[in-house]
Every structure is written in structure tokens, then in C-alpha cells.
Amino acid sequence: MLVKTKAIVISSLKFQEKSLIVKCFTLSNGLKSYFVRDAFSSRKASQKIAYFQPLSILEIEAMHKNKGTLENFKEIKTAVPFQSIHTDIVKSTMVMFLSEMLHYSIQEEEKNESLFIFLETALIWLDHHDEISNFHLILLLEITKYLGFYPDISEIDLPYFEMNEGVFTLFHGLSALTEHETNLFKKLIDLKFDNVQKVFHVIERQILLKILIDYYSFHLDGFKKPKSLDVLKEIFS
């Protein structure tokens, strides 16, 4: 079936010497993997590979056989030409980390239009703003709304956040955050991308990042800690 859709690049993996396997989150069909033959061998190789940088937003035409095998692109073009994401070292490190998080988080091959639109809107925001130190934290928390484990904030005034249940509680159980960690987490829940105040210190952001990665680990089977995490910490230290 020939499909025309927007797609966000989640990962690309070199296959043998000349080809690529590209995983995309598509607007029309959710997660899809594509085989790009001779990606490294043509005269336009650098141009072709440039399409598949982490979290690039593409407009694709592709043959979808929907048999659980690798699909094939027919046409590719850039849907949103980023101005700064792939050239700014902080932003490019951030999207590399976030693409890894998404690689381990989006596991179902099913359409999730609302998540796609949220990610596209967030990436465009990132491309056009400079105060981005909390962007990855806000994004990771917001994504849990679309993956089904956003914290239950109906009892947010209680002192501890229970990671396993995703609720605020009166008691400090085994998988609960400390009171200090819970207060940081509450601050994060209130934040929006446009909030430019210096809300967190470097150490507090690192604590929150660990909390979020642990929270994902509690709620997603097979979730792995991103390899690019240390690079991200280095950039923000």
C-alpha cells in the first residue's frame, strides 16, 4: 500500500557497508522501520543521510506492506527544515538523547496522532527558542500523557510521590521519592516550555532527569537507560 505521511526519525542504524535501517514514528501508522539501500554509496549520499538525523521531521511516500518486515521509501523530503537543532551542540545533544528515550518508549506499531502532533509542535518550539535547559524534562513528563502513565495529580498536596503507582501519597513507601525529590517533581509538573525562569539548579535538573528515567523504567517493559545520558549531563554540567 502506498502511503504519504509525515514521519519523525527515531533512529538510524548502518546496515552492512552501504545501507541504513531507519526507524520512524509516522503520523499515519505509528512506528515503522524502513530499509534504505545504498545510503552511503551514491553521489548524493551526504544529502540522503542528512534526512535521517535524530528527530528530523520528514514528508515521506512509502510502500507499507504491513507484514512486520522492513518497509521501503519511495520519496523523502524535509517537512520542517530546522534552523538550529542539528547545528547547536546543546540542542543536537538533547535531541540525540530524546530520540533514544523515544526509541525505548514507543513500542507499539499503532497510530498515535496526538503524540505525533505534540512531538512535532515541541520540536518546532525547540528549534526557535534559546532558553531550553528544562525542555527535555518537560517533554519527557508530557510524553507520559500519551503513553498512559502520566502522574495522577488529584492528591498532589501529599508529601511523597509513589513511582510504581504514579500517585502522591501520605506514606514514604519503597518506590516513593523523598520529600525533597517530590517537591522538585511537583515544580516540574507545573512547568511549561515558555517558562524562562531559572527554576532549577544543575544538580536539581540531574535529580529530575534520574527520576524521569526511573519512572519510565517502572512503567515500560524492556526500557533501557539511554547511552547518550552521560553526554547530556556533560553538556548541562
Side-chain angles (χ1 to χ4, degrees):
M1 186 170 87
L2 189 61
V3 174
K4 197 170 184 179
T5 183
K6 279 186 177 178
I8 297 172
V9 177
I10 302 297
S11 66
S12 59
L13 179 69
K14 194 172 182 181
F15 179 75
Q16 296 179 341
E17 284 302 306
K18 299 177 180 178
S19 302
L20 274 177
I21 295 172
V22 180
K23 185 182 280 190
C24 291
F25 182 54
T26 70
L27 178 60
S28 64
N29 295 82
L31 208 58
K32 284 283 178 187
S33 292
Y34 300 88
F35 184 65
V36 185
R37 192 183 302 282
D38 297 333
F40 294 92
S41 60
S42 70
R43 278 180 299 172
K44 292 185 177 178
S46 59
Q47 184 182 337
K48 193 183 276 189
I49 294 159
Y51 284 128
F52 306 121
Q53 294 185 77
L55 303 189
S56 293
I57 304 172
L58 307 175
E59 185 81 52
I60 65 167
E61 208 171 294
M63 286 305 297
H64 283 180
K65 294 175 183 172
N66 298 318
K67 292 180 178 176
T69 54
L70 294 173
E71 313 288 15
N72 291 287
F73 293 118
K74 198 165 181 288
E75 298 245 349
I76 311 168
K77 62 182 180 182
T78 302
V80 179
F82 290 140
Q83 305 303 310
S84 64
I85 279 180
H86 296 308
T87 53
D88 180 300
I89 184 66
V90 176
K91 291 182 183 181
S92 61
T93 304
M94 192 178 275
V95 297
M96 181 172 66
F97 164 75
L98 290 169
S99 68
E100 263 198 279
M101 287 291 291
L102 290 167
H103 176 76
Y104 293 122
S105 304
I106 302 173
Q107 298 161 344
E108 298 299 321
E109 282 199 28
E110 59 185 41
K111 185 175 179 177
N112 191 336
E113 196 171 308
S114 55
L115 175 55
F116 186 96
I117 292 166
F118 167 71
L119 288 173
E120 180 183 37
T121 305
L123 289 166
I124 292 168
W125 186 94
L126 175 66
D127 192 47
H128 288 90
H129 290 80
D130 296 321
E131 183 44 66
I132 59 162
S133 56
N134 298 317
F135 176 84
H136 57 310
L137 303 175
I138 299 168
L139 185 89
L140 290 176
L141 182 59
E142 288 294 309
I143 285 171
T144 65
K145 287 179 181 175
Y146 304 94
L147 298 180
F149 57 98
Y150 188 75
D152 178 351
I153 58 172
S154 58
E155 302 278 359
I156 198 168
D157 291 336
L158 295 177
Y160 303 106
F161 181 67
E162 221 297 323
M163 299 275 272
N164 197 29
E165 298 298 322
V167 298
F168 290 88
T169 176
L170 199 54
F171 307 102
H172 188 246
L174 283 175
S175 60
L177 300 179
T178 65
E179 199 162 350
H180 173 61
E181 290 169 338
T182 300
N183 285 333
L184 287 178
F185 196 54
K186 288 176 182 179
K187 269 192 194 178
L188 178 61
I189 286 171
D190 284 339
L191 275 193
K192 298 289 179 279
F193 289 134
D194 284 321
N195 191 307
V196 293
Q197 293 172 293
K198 300 288 184 188
V199 182
F200 302 117
H201 301 300
V202 173
I203 298 296
E204 290 176 330
R205 279 201 298 271
Q206 289 181 359
I207 291 168
L208 280 165
L209 189 54
K210 182 182 184 306
I211 288 169
L212 287 163
I213 289 170
D214 287 347
Y215 190 51
Y216 272 62
S217 300
F218 270 109
H219 293 274
L220 294 172
D221 290 336
F223 179 81
K224 295 179 184 174
K225 187 169 83 169
K227 293 174 185 172
S228 54
L229 179 60
D230 292 337
V231 184
L232 186 75
K233 284 180 179 174
E234 192 69 32
I235 287 289
F236 278 110
S237 62

